[in-house]
């Protein structure tokens, strides 16, 4: 059998993971992700589902084995389940994952399961309805909890909750969130807020609540043991003793994880973004629109793009943001 080609960057890192943002739109306006008034991209600028599929196929032929579909809110993209089905059938892709805010999961969890989605990440920053409204601006906690339970019933291989922790907003809930995860057999990751896009609602430096502080808070209530298997992701995992749950920490500020980076991102408008914290990118939409069906050209551009993948992100909480795109455009 012919060996699969590999994507290797200038620092010797193999890229085998693609995150696809299928829309920049969302039904929520989380305070760390968006401003209250957002201008979304005109639809014509957004990749069609077929274009997304063609790009994902090219990546799979270049050795990418893991695809995560995200956004914006991926479940509000029309015909998303059709795309998921097609992505699930790509040769070489053995992990198809999604990150969602959970608001549409009560109707769509079954469709995702049938499309061979293995694992789901669901964002949940608080278990308090008023806080949930304040943090998401438009979200309804009960709706999301119903969605999470619908997903649990479908028996996905793994469900992971993602919680962005902000000082004086939800930092006092980390223990309750872990209890909820343990009760349902979910994993949970705590994420330090990243300075992506301008948000006026709060000062990011003042809202910073470091992962090591969360860990200290948790260790007063749980016994956590380090999990050695690093999956190439930015999370540092700990097992909650006496349960099946793991707690992860995504700590872009307190621990730099770039040397392990195995991923690139496709933005909703078709930019191949080589690092979340830098603007180095290649316009793949231009290629798929000017040479439709020419996958060799697309693959060539992807291989070339690896040369400009930066060594590390440049996040700095004290200065004005250097990255003006919001997480919703990038696909978190
Ligand atoms: N809408 C989906 C959701 O919320 O899960 C998927 C897209 S969202 C951009 C993906 C993840 O990014 C979420 O877990 C969210 O909490 C996280 N996120 C958004 N803005 C962030 C920021 N400024 N810093 C850190 N994480 C952020
Ligand atoms: Fe929407 Fe997800 Fe961003 Fe919240 S974090 S505004 S749910 S894209």
């Amino acid at each position: 059998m012919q060996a699969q080609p590999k994507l290797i960057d200038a620092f010797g890192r193999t890229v085998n993971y693609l995150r696809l943002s299928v829309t920049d739109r969302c039904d929520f306006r989380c305070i760390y992700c968006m401003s209250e008034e957002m201008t979304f991209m005109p639809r014509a600028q957004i990749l069609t589902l077929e274009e997304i599929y063609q790009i994902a196929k090219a990546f799979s032929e270049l050795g990418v084995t893991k695809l995560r579909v995200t956004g914006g809110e991926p479940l509000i993209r029309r015909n998303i389940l059709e795309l998921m089905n097609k992505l699930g059938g790509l040769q070489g892709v053995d992990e198809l994952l999604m990150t969602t805010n959970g608001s549409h999961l009560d109707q769509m969890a079954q469709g995702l399961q049938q499309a061979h989605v293995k694992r789901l990440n669901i964002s949940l920053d608080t278990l308090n309805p008023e806080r949930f409204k304040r943090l998401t601006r438009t979200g309804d906690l009960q709706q999301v909890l119903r969605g999470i339970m619908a997903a649990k019933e479908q028996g996905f291989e793994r469900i992971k909750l993602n919680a962005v922790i902000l000082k004086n907003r939800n930092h006092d809930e980390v223990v309750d969130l872990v209890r909820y995860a343990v009760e349902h057999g979910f994993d949970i990751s705590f994420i330090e807020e990243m300075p992506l896009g301008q948000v006026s609602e709060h000062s990011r430096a003042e809202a910073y609540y470091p992962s090591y502080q969360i860990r200290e808070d948790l260790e007063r209530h749980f016994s956590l043991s380090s999990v050695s298997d690093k999956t190439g992701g930015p999370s540092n995992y700990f097992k909650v003793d006496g349960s099946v749950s793991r707690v992860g920490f995504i700590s872009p500020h307190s621990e730099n994880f770039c040397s392990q980076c195995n991923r690139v991102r496709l933005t909703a408008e078709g930019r191949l973004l080589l690092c979340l914290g830098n603007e180095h990118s290649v316009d793949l939409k231009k290629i798929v629109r000017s040479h439709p069906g020419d996958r060799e050209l697309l693959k060539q551009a992807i291989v070339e793009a690896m040369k400009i993948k930066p060594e590390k992100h440049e996040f700095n909480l004290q200065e004005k943001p250097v990255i003006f795109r919001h997480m919703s455009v990038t696909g978190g």
Side-chain angles (χ1 to χ4, degrees):
M1 208 168 69
Q2 216 184 353
Q4 269 209 333
K6 287 237 159 72
L7 293 174
I8 299 176
D9 77 356
F11 302 94
R13 296 170 297 192
T14 298
V15 170
N16 54 16
Y17 180 9
L18 173 67
R19 296 170 80 111
L20 302 148
S21 173
V22 294
T23 178
D24 63 332
R25 287 158 206 260
C26 187
D27 48 346
F28 291 2
R29 296 285 182 278
C30 301
I31 58 168
Y32 46 76
C33 179
M34 293 194 180
S35 54
E36 194 154 17
E37 297 301 324
M38 287 291 289
T39 311
F40 295 109
M41 278 178 258
R43 281 183 211 278
Q45 270 184 39
I46 304 285
L47 291 179
T48 65
L49 294 183
E50 179 55 27
E51 288 166 343
I52 295 173
Y53 173 71
Q54 287 303 329
I55 293 173
K57 190 167 163 65
F59 271 95
S60 70
E61 291 173 2
L62 289 167
V64 163
T65 56
K66 182 167 168 179
L67 298 177
R68 177 177 297 282
V69 174
T70 176
E73 176 44 42
L75 291 180
I76 65 168
R77 175 85 198 240
R78 195 179 305 167
N79 298 329
I80 185 68
L81 291 180
E82 242 170 66
L83 175 70
M84 298 308 287
N85 265 302
K86 285 176 75 178
L87 295 177
L90 277 176
Q91 209 181 356
V93 170
D94 42 51
E95 288 182 281
L96 176 62
L97 319 165
M98 180 178 272
T99 302
T100 170
N101 66 20
S103 66
H104 285 63
L105 269 180
D106 56 345
Q107 317 108 48
M108 297 177 88
Q110 190 179 22
L112 290 174
Q113 164 72 13
Q114 287 165 350
H116 308 293
V117 173
K118 278 200 176 157
R119 290 184 270 135
L120 278 183
N121 284 2
I122 309 173
S123 298
L124 183 70
D125 301 328
T126 172
L127 291 162
N128 172 311
E130 283 88 51
R131 268 192 189 181
F132 191 84
K133 183 68 89 191
R134 246 176 284 139
L135 288 170
T136 61
R137 293 198 181 98
T138 59
D140 172 7
L141 176 65
Q142 289 314 321
Q143 173 71 18
V144 169
L145 294 180
R146 273 197 299 279
I148 295 176
M149 286 306 113
K152 184 183 174 187
E153 272 168 34
Q154 288 301 320
F156 287 94
E157 192 179 286
R158 228 45 219 147
I159 292 179
K160 179 162 77 80
L161 305 175
N162 275 343
V164 175
I165 299 301
L166 305 179
K167 191 173 173 182
N168 297 329
R169 300 295 178 108
N170 61 347
H171 79 263
D172 55 346
E173 270 195 81
V174 295
V175 171
D176 288 345
L177 285 164
V178 172
R179 283 206 181 106
Y180 176 81
V182 166
E183 181 191 338
H184 295 288
F186 303 151
D187 291 336
I188 181 163
S189 278
F190 293 107
I191 307 174
E192 290 178 353
E193 185 186 21
M194 301 172 214
L196 296 173
Q198 202 104 38
V199 292
S200 51
E201 200 272 350
H202 58 284
S203 145
R204 284 185 149 140
E206 281 168 24
Y208 176 48
Y209 197 74
S211 291
Y212 60 81
Q213 185 65 61
I214 300 176
R215 208 174 124 193
E216 270 179 42
D217 299 346
L218 293 178
E219 282 178 329
R220 276 186 235 115
H221 300 263
F222 306 97
S223 160
L224 303 179
S225 4
S226 187
V227 177
S228 54
D229 73 307
K230 278 292 295 175
T231 48
S235 259
N236 243 332
Y237 279 109
F238 296 83
K239 191 167 177 310
V240 183
D241 291 346
S243 80
V244 297
S245 298
R246 295 185 311 167
V247 177
F249 298 96
I250 302 179
S251 324
H253 306 295
S254 55
E255 264 177 76
N256 189 289
F257 44 67
C258 301
S259 65
Q260 316 270 347
C261 187
N262 62 346
R263 65 200 55 197
V264 290
R265 296 171 160 84
L266 183 70
T267 68
E269 91 275 39
R271 228 169 17 120
L272 174 62
L273 194 65
L274 295 145
C275 169
L276 185 58
N278 281 283
E279 291 296 358
H280 301 61
S281 70
V282 171
D283 186 356
L284 294 184
K285 180 174 69 185
K286 204 159 137 192
I287 299 174
V288 287
R289 294 208 172 158
S290 60
H291 295 80
D294 189 345
R295 216 162 40 255
E296 285 313 310
L297 192 68
L298 194 54
K299 279 159 69 175
Q300 223 173 39
I302 295 168
V303 170
E304 280 294 302
M306 294 303 123
K307 293 187 186 152
I308 59 161
K309 183 169 166 61
E311 187 177 10
K312 54 188 169 61
H313 67 66
E314 308 290 351
F315 292 144
N316 184 335
L317 285 174
Q318 305 307 326
E319 293 169 6
K320 287 207 177 327
V322 284
I323 305 293
F324 292 102
R325 77 188 125 72
H326 289 96
M327 186 70 125
S328 50
V329 173
T330 310

